[in-house]
Amino acid sequence: MATTKRFDVKDLGLAEEGVRRIEWADRQMPVLQAIRARFESEQPLNGYRVAACLHVTTETANLMRTLKAGGADVVLCASNPLSTQDDVAAALVDEFDVSVFAIKGEDNDTYYSHIEAAVDHKPHLTMDDGADVIGVLHSHRREQLGDIIAGTEETTTGVIRLKALEAEDKLGFPIIAVNEAKTKHLFDNRYGTGQSTIDGIIRATNVLLAGKRFVIAGYGWVGRGVALRARGMGSHVIITEVDPMRALEAGMEGFEVLPMEKAAEIGDIFCTATGDKHVIRREHMERMKDGAILSNTGHFNVEIDIPALKSLATDTRQAREFVEEFVLDDGRRLYLIADGRLVNLAAAEGHPAIVMDMSFANQALAAEFAVQNAGKLERKVYGVPDEIDREIARLKLATMGIDIDQLTEEQAKYLASWDEGT
Ligand SMILES: NC(=O)c1ccc[n+]([C@@H]2O[C@H](COP(=O)([O-])OP(=O)(O)OC[C@H]3O[C@@H](n4cnc5c(N)ncnc54)[C@H](O)[C@@H]3O)[C@@H](O)[C@H]2O)c1
């Protein structure tokens, strides 16, 4: 199909492969399929323009199809320069008539020019993964703030940025923090990132995880998931934390907890998952063993201090696709995967579709909720309404063929009372 839309993608010739892969992912996304069918008949987003800045993957493509089915006019740009799947970008333009601006490996200037192109679409709704569109709108495109009824945010790091804007009373429009939905972070961050991060490290390096010391910085939802799966592959897992509660939980789960200074000396594989900056820095790299592998699965590539690594190195070369070797002056070699960017998206395919099904069901229903409540929400960061979260959990259970019990009348009464039971 010839597109009528503006776009900048690598090669439209890749569209056929992209369509096949989008359809494959769709088979694993029954909740989104059900929402798409309802959207097609009810058209809840009719007449609304959406600017989405998300990882351009097969699962995102199915979300775009869903928004379009609901009547929205959608533009999509990448939320990371390395995570775009070029065949998917081509398919969205060529087959699904969605305007896409994303090329895998695009340089910083192109990355930001693509975000500007999405903002040029004059959106009523924004959809972010890391708050980059919101960042542009709140800096030099402020004149558009008033046209926007609401935005959604997919990830922890974006929510942190948006809460900071809210705290300074500078948030220009209401935000629905999709990441805060239980059907998002309990599953996507933990099981999705857990599996796909391990997948990315293995695809990039082909190392055996069994018997290795695997250091994970951060025991949040993502860190927990990576730790669980690394242990399952036979690694000895070491956690570093700054939060005493989380560190305690990691210890009780049987993981070794160490400060990074100590972990740096013994780790074979490192993975940061904190959303923080310079978690692995010069003083840690100076202690690392020859052959240590460094990766990140947090949102931005600032968790590993890459400038410090570069300044320590006397020589660098590409050891494998996605793996850069840094030779230090004493001959030790450290290996950095995917330039310190989200390893699961840069070196693998991101989360499996079945997990994104719930996250993106939240995105689609949050967009509908925003439209239904246009003008009624304040310039605040809202969680996803509990009814939406529970509805997605119900739909998901149904698609998994799992039935659960219902409270009896007697039980409902008992659980709502204070004077029964002694
Ligand atoms: N790769 C992906 O696909 C993917 C998916 C979901 C989330 N994320 C990103 O992963 C990051 C973590 O997300 P989360 O949901 O687990 O967040 P979270 O807030 O649940 O966990 C982060 C943990 O890191 C700890 N931490 C902070 N600074 C630290 C430091 N200097 N050293 C050690 N620990 C430190 C915090 O105490 C916290 O326990 C975020 O950047 C998020 O956006 C990535």
Side-chain angles (χ1 to χ4, degrees):
M1 179 209 302
T3 179
T4 55
K5 298 284 161 79
R6 296 177 307 131
F7 64 89
D8 188 16
V9 302
K10 185 171 178 199
D11 176 6
L12 285 184
L14 301 169
E16 206 182 311
E17 171 67 8
V19 171
R20 264 201 301 271
R21 293 201 315 111
I22 291 167
E23 287 172 352
W24 173 262
D26 197 43
R27 280 196 282 276
Q28 309 276 323
M29 303 181 85
V31 177
L32 202 59
Q33 275 178 30
I35 294 170
R36 188 154 69 234
R38 178 171 68 75
F39 273 18
E40 242 158 33
S41 65
E42 295 178 9
Q43 296 284 297
L45 306 178
N46 197 15
Y48 288 93
R49 286 189 298 274
V50 180
C53 179
L54 301 169
H55 300 296
V56 181
T57 62
T58 51
E59 296 81 15
T60 300
N62 286 315
L63 173 61
M64 297 302 109
R65 292 172 66 193
T66 305
L67 300 175
K68 210 164 170 267
D73 177 3
V74 190
V75 61
L76 173 67
C77 65
S79 58
N80 183 296
L82 276 187
S83 62
T84 298
Q85 297 169 2
D86 288 316
D87 57 341
V88 169
L92 273 170
V93 172
D94 203 44
E95 181 68 23
F96 299 108
D97 205 24
V98 171
S99 188
V100 181
F101 295 86
I103 299 170
K104 182 163 181 149
E106 60 197 4
D107 61 23
N108 245 19
D109 287 349
T110 313
Y111 176 73
Y112 282 105
S113 75
H114 283 163
I115 294 178
E116 298 287 341
V119 175
D120 288 343
H121 192 57
K122 302 261 185 298
H124 304 107
L125 281 169
T126 65
M127 216 166 247
D128 260 304
D129 186 336
D132 277 343
V133 164
I134 304 257
V136 165
L137 282 163
H138 283 74
S139 53
H140 55 282
R141 305 286 293 257
R142 298 188 63 82
E143 71 282 0
Q144 283 180 238
L145 289 175
D147 302 334
I148 298 171
I149 57 171
T152 64
E153 172 54 53
E154 172 78 7
T155 199
T156 315
T157 285
V159 174
I160 290 170
R161 287 169 139 195
L162 294 165
K163 286 194 171 156
L165 262 178
E166 180 190 20
E168 291 179 18
D169 197 25
K170 289 186 179 152
L171 193 59
F173 48 85
I175 297 291
I176 299 161
V178 165
N179 187 68
E180 309 296 275
K182 293 195 188 75
T183 45
K184 200 280 182 179
H185 67 257
L186 290 179
F187 299 89
D188 163 324
N189 298 28
R190 182 165 39 172
Y191 304 115
T193 318
Q195 175 172 312
S196 58
T197 297
I198 300 290
D199 185 19
I201 293 170
I202 293 175
R203 287 199 207 190
T205 62
N206 198 26
V207 291
L208 184 74
L209 296 192
K212 295 283 189 327
R213 285 201 169 84
F214 195 127
V215 179
I216 298 161
Y219 196 66
W221 294 108
V222 171
R224 287 176 177 110
V226 181
L228 189 69
R229 298 308 174 217
R231 174 155 69 186
M233 299 289 283
S235 287
H236 173 85
V237 174
I238 299 167
I239 302 291
T240 73
E241 251 298 343
V242 291
D243 179 326
M245 207 60 83
R246 294 245 163 121
L248 184 60
E249 190 187 336
M252 292 290 187
E253 279 294 324
F255 298 116
E256 189 173 358
V257 181
L258 288 175
M260 184 56 86
E261 198 184 25
K262 292 257 165 50
E265 289 173 359
I266 55 176
D268 300 300
I269 301 166
F270 292 81
C271 183
T272 50
T274 68
D276 197 359
K277 187 179 179 185
H278 294 175
V279 178
I280 295 180
R281 42 185 189 273
R282 189 184 186 97
E283 69 248 39
H284 305 131
M285 295 163 189
E286 282 169 342
R287 291 162 177 260
M288 284 180 182
K289 297 195 299 191
D290 180 32
I293 292 169
L294 278 62
S295 64
N296 166 53
T297 198
H299 191 77
F300 288 114
N301 66 338
V302 296
E303 303 213 12
I304 301 169
D305 184 354
I306 296 167
L309 182 57
K310 287 187 174 151
S311 73
L312 274 174
T314 55
D315 198 13
T316 65
R317 69 178 180 127
Q318 201 65 34
R320 283 167 68 96
E321 192 187 8
F322 301 126
V323 184
E324 198 174 358
E325 180 181 77
F326 293 81
V327 184
L328 311 191
D329 57 4
D330 59 4
R332 278 177 306 133
R333 286 151 303 175
L334 301 183
Y335 295 99
L336 177 68
I337 305 182
D339 211 16
R341 295 193 187 276
L342 306 134
V343 63
N344 61 330
L345 282 142
E349 293 173 65
H351 298 161
I354 204 145
V355 142
M356 295 315 293
D357 189 25
M358 282 191 284
S359 305
F360 284 167
N362 273 291
Q363 285 283 7
L365 296 187
E368 181 184 38
F369 174 81
V371 166
Q372 284 166 347
N373 290 279
K376 291 187 217 151
L377 301 174
E378 293 174 54
R379 293 183 295 107
K380 283 187 178 163
V381 178
Y382 291 87
V384 171
D386 205 40
E387 314 83 77
I388 292 185
D389 222 350
R390 295 175 79 79
E391 175 60 15
I392 291 171
R394 257 193 302 273
L395 281 169
K396 191 72 193 178
L397 282 169
T399 65
M400 294 168 87
I402 298 176
D403 278 333
I404 59 170
D405 288 324
Q406 308 289 327
L407 287 176
T408 63
E409 228 172 87
E410 183 193 19
Q411 288 168 338
K413 192 165 163 244
Y414 175 74
L415 291 174
S417 67
W418 59 271
D419 56 350
E420 231 190 288
T422 48

